[in-house]
Amino acid sequence: MDKFIIDGGQRLLGTIRLQSAKNSVLPLLAASVLTEKQVTIREVPKIADVLCMAQILRELGARVEFSGGDVTIDSSNASNHEISSALTKELRSSVFMLGSLLTRFRRALIAYPGGCDIGLRPIDLHLSALKRLGVKIRERDGFIFCECDRLRGAEIALDFPSVGATENILLAAVKAEGRTILQGAAKEPEIVDLQGFLNAMGAKVRGAGTDVIEIEGVKTLGGVTYKPLKDRIEAGTFLIACAICGGETEVVGVPAENIRLLLHKLRENGCKIHSKNGKITIESTGKLKCNRRIETMPFPGFPTDLQAQATALNCGASGGSLIVENLFETRFKFVPELKKMGADIEVKGRTAFVRGVPRLHGATLVSCDLRGGAALVLAALGAEGVSEVLDLSHIDRGYFDFESKLSKLGAHLKRVRC
Ligand code: UD1
């Protein structure tokens, strides 16, 4: 297992070209099997989750080729509707395959999906929505078997705006008979991107980005070449890194409205933020004030995927902060690691109370999930002395070339193969 050795205390200066959004690319890959025609997704980061999704598509019988940063999928020979549990357990997004496989083959067999260990992560909303579309579902011994004679458009209301359930419904309804109206949809930019991708294939989807999405089922979908949106979570991670370390950094490719609340919070910390034409610049002295309160919410609220990084920032800022995690039950697993660096944090259920300390110090840290792992790296970059971050497998699921991008900004870190 690889580890990072990080010598903290360097200012970060320079420009970051962002990768395509992990949370867009994964559902687009799942959507690629909706058609028998060739699909090309441009500028795809070769992160572990993408490689795992490519493997799932190959297991179905599709040809998947990476070339010059793009990935091309030809699923004309795909015939398998089963995904092995080894792959579904590795990747939460394998759950999207339910919608795609049902549209393509009218049946799907998958094991309960895995992904980061950040809470229960049930899929009841996905399954009840699929039932509304006419799908029969049997669950046994950790497997889900879905089948239907045909998919029928329906009125569906989600009790909670789940990102994954919204995406699954789009994938299952896109070729269903008649119209599907989804109330209470998730509004994340990645949902808008999926709508753009499906419509470019010939689908009739509208309303993504609002509470109500309408899907008029179509008979066929064609091939497509599509460039996904850039990764707002990667953008946020680099902006927080610069805030912690001090310096001046620009991230290119994400519109400010996709991370509006983070930018507001960084201004509260005392950073200067400018945004124009898809470029966001941060200037930080490294001497930060705590945010009084950060509460994670569905978009456009503060993203749960930036909660850990923001917690790390507040540990070394002056004052106190209350961090409330509303989306996932156990998303503070990185806190004991930050405490090894001298952070003063108390967790009670879904709330963390942070009392800022003047400076964190280096320590040996274990990364235990994707965003929590990134938070440890950021804390170590701002800390005094040398840190080690062990087990990079989680970070590699979501950040491509994390260390070279950070090194380009002036950070001192290296990957050591253990
Ligand atoms: C997606 C993202 C993930 C991000 C999360 C929140 C992808 C691949 N993953 O995850 O990176 O952290 O959104 O922005 O895009 N819930 C239920 N029942 C369900 C589904 C969800 O109770 O059937 C609950 C969850 O437990 C959680 C909340 O709804 O409390 C949000 O989950 P959801 O939006 O579905 O997140 P994911 O799609 O899993």
Side-chain angles (χ1 to χ4, degrees), residues 15 24 56 65 70 104 129 154 161 240 247 251 292 312 384 395 417:
T15 298
S24 236
I56 288 177
E65 275 170 20
D70 300 344
R104 180 76 185 263
I240 295 172
V251 293
R292 280 164 55 97
E384 201 166 319
I395 293 175
R417 304 209 182 270

Side-chain angles (χ1 to χ4, degrees), residues 42-291:
R42 311 248 345 259
E43 297 176 17
V44 173
K46 273 194 175 175
I47 47 178
D49 274 11
V50 163
L51 300 179
C52 183
M53 190 56 125
Q55 210 43 43
I56 288 177
L57 298 178
R58 289 191 185 106
E59 207 174 84
L60 301 175
R63 197 166 51 77
V64 183
E65 275 170 20
F66 287 84
S67 161
D70 300 344
V71 58
T72 298
I73 304 104
D74 175 351
S75 67
S76 53
N77 289 324
S79 56
N80 184 15
H81 65 276
E82 296 183 19
I83 306 174
S84 65
S85 55
L87 288 170
T88 51
K89 288 203 182 329
E90 222 168 281
L91 182 64
R92 167 84 189 166
S93 310
S94 50
V95 74
F96 305 132
M97 292 310 303
L98 281 180
S100 294
L101 289 173
L102 283 162
T103 293
R104 180 76 185 263
F105 302 118
R106 301 279 178 268
R107 44 183 35 213
L109 178 69
I110 71 166
Y112 258 94
C116 274
D117 181 14
I118 54 179
L120 290 171
R121 307 193 82 174
I123 56 168
D124 54 314
L125 299 173
H126 302 238
L127 299 183
S128 54
L130 292 176
K131 283 183 191 159
R132 298 275 307 150
L133 295 169
V135 179
K136 291 195 183 64
I137 299 173
R138 275 177 283 150
E139 296 175 72
R140 217 171 63 198
D141 302 330
F143 282 85
I144 308 162
F145 181 62
C146 299
E147 69 179 335
C148 59
D149 298 328
R150 58 198 180 101
L151 290 157
R152 287 185 316 268
E155 293 211 3
I156 301 172
L158 287 177
D159 292 333
F160 184 88
S162 154
V163 176
T166 300
E167 290 169 339
N168 230 337
I169 292 164
L170 258 59
L171 296 171
V174 72
K175 284 176 80 182
E177 284 167 27
R179 176 182 299 182
T180 298
I181 298 178
L182 171 58
Q183 311 267 2
K187 295 185 279 200
E188 270 68 1
E190 292 76 18
I191 310 271
V192 181
D193 213 27
L194 179 59
Q195 168 179 278
F197 179 82
L198 294 172
N199 286 345
M201 293 168 99
K204 288 190 178 156
V205 184
R206 60 176 196 185
T210 74
D211 295 318
V212 184
I213 301 181
E214 274 185 48
I215 307 139
E216 190 72 52
V218 294
K219 290 234 166 359
T220 53
L221 292 172
V224 64
T225 296
Y226 192 84
K227 190 159 115 182
L229 57 70
K230 298 294 180 206
D231 199 317
R232 63 194 166 97
I233 305 302
E234 189 198 23
T237 303
F238 280 104
L239 291 171
I240 295 172
C242 179
I244 292 175
C245 296
E248 189 173 338
T249 297
E250 179 186 63
V251 293
V252 181
V254 161
E257 62 263 26
N258 286 6
I259 45 169
R260 179 87 52 213
L261 210 47
L262 172 69
L263 301 183
H264 171 68
K265 291 291 168 193
L266 289 169
R267 286 192 181 103
E268 258 180 31
N269 296 129
C271 301
K272 287 192 185 137
I273 306 279
H274 305 282
S275 65
K276 208 173 170 185
N277 303 333
K279 291 183 183 169
I280 303 171
T281 310
I282 178 168
E283 283 173 55
S284 167
T285 58
K287 302 240 172 297
L288 304 174
K289 291 182 289 238
C290 276
N291 303 109

Side-chain angles (χ1 to χ4, degrees), residues 22-23 49 92-93 114-121 160 163 188 231-234 237 294-299 301-312 315 323-338 345-354 366-376 394-395 397-399:
K22 164 177 108 62
N23 289 348
D49 274 11
R92 167 84 189 166
S93 310
C116 274
D117 181 14
I118 54 179
L120 290 171
R121 307 193 82 174
F160 184 88
V163 176
E188 270 68 1
D231 199 317
R232 63 194 166 97
I233 305 302
E234 189 198 23
T237 303
I294 291 180
E295 189 158 350
T296 65
M297 294 281 186
F299 189 84
F302 194 90
T304 174
D305 284 353
L306 288 173
Q307 177 265 108
Q309 301 89 316
T311 303
C315 288
I323 316 272
V324 185
E325 172 55 60
N326 285 311
L327 271 84
F328 296 107
E329 296 83 359
T330 55
R331 218 169 184 179
F332 285 122
K333 285 195 173 160
F334 58 93
V335 163
E337 303 303 301
L338 288 178
I345 313 176
E346 198 185 330
V347 175
K348 279 200 183 135
R350 290 177 177 234
T351 302
F353 302 88
V354 179
V366 184
S367 153
C368 55
D369 66 71
L370 167 57
R371 307 303 173 184
L376 299 181
H394 302 288
I395 293 175
R397 286 187 36 223
Y399 295 92

